[in-house]
Amino acid sequence: MNNTRITLAALAAGALFGLGLAVSGMTDPLRILGFLDVFGDFDPALLFVLGGAVLTTMLLFRFVLRRPSPVFAERFQMSDLRSIDRPLLLGAALFGIGWGLAGYCPGPALVGLGVLSPETLWFVPAMIGGMLLHRLLRGR
């Protein structure tokens, strides 16, 4: 495969994803924290964004997998894991704690970094540090 085409496709997909996050307001950490505050000032906007993503996936995923291969790869890379284990639960818990404390997950954090949102100036380095720590611990 042509690396330039793959890079441009990844850039376009990332830009489209970032635009969708920005248009839906999901780059605002207060909106996310409002969604997580179910007993306080609850903001259901994220529920509609998540519902739209699930509905789109349910409708289109089967058509994508009917293709013999992805457009820019030789084969689909599907996980063969079929169980819930300790690393999955620990990772999900850490993700949830970080999301609840900061109101960011990786996608919106990178969009926020692109517009120099002050919170992302500490969140993104912490996120990268967590990724590097995971890679170091996973190597053992």
Side-chain angles (χ1 to χ4, degrees):
M1 285 289 148
N2 182 340
N3 283 339
T4 303
R5 286 184 2 178
I6 294 170
T7 301
L8 289 175
L11 182 63
L16 182 61
F17 181 67
L19 179 65
L21 289 172
V23 167
S24 65
M26 294 302 114
T27 58
D28 180 3
L30 294 178
R31 173 157 274 170
I32 304 306
L33 294 174
F35 172 73
L36 297 173
D37 187 8
V38 293
F39 297 113
D41 191 21
F42 180 68
D43 180 355
L46 181 58
L47 190 61
F48 294 106
V49 173
L50 293 171
V54 169
L55 183 63
T56 302
T57 300
M58 285 174 47
L59 293 174
L60 300 177
F61 200 66
R62 66 179 138 212
F63 296 112
V64 170
L65 291 181
R66 285 185 186 161
R67 297 179 50 85
S69 68
V71 176
F72 296 115
E74 294 180 12
R75 64 179 181 85
F76 288 103
Q77 297 182 15
M78 306 293 285
S79 175
D80 59 352
L81 297 177
R82 298 290 178 249
S83 63
I84 297 174
D85 58 6
R86 188 180 321 181
L88 176 63
L89 291 175
L90 182 60
L94 287 173
F95 179 90
I97 290 167
W99 196 39
L101 288 174
Y104 279 117
C105 61
L110 293 177
V111 173
L113 186 63
V115 296
L116 298 176
S117 176
E119 300 92 4
T120 62
L121 298 177
W122 64 265
F123 181 83
V124 171
M127 178 179 74
I128 292 170
M131 292 170 158
L132 294 173
L133 181 62
H134 173 265
R135 179 173 281 182
L136 178 73
L137 294 175
R138 192 72 162 174
R140 291 183 179 175

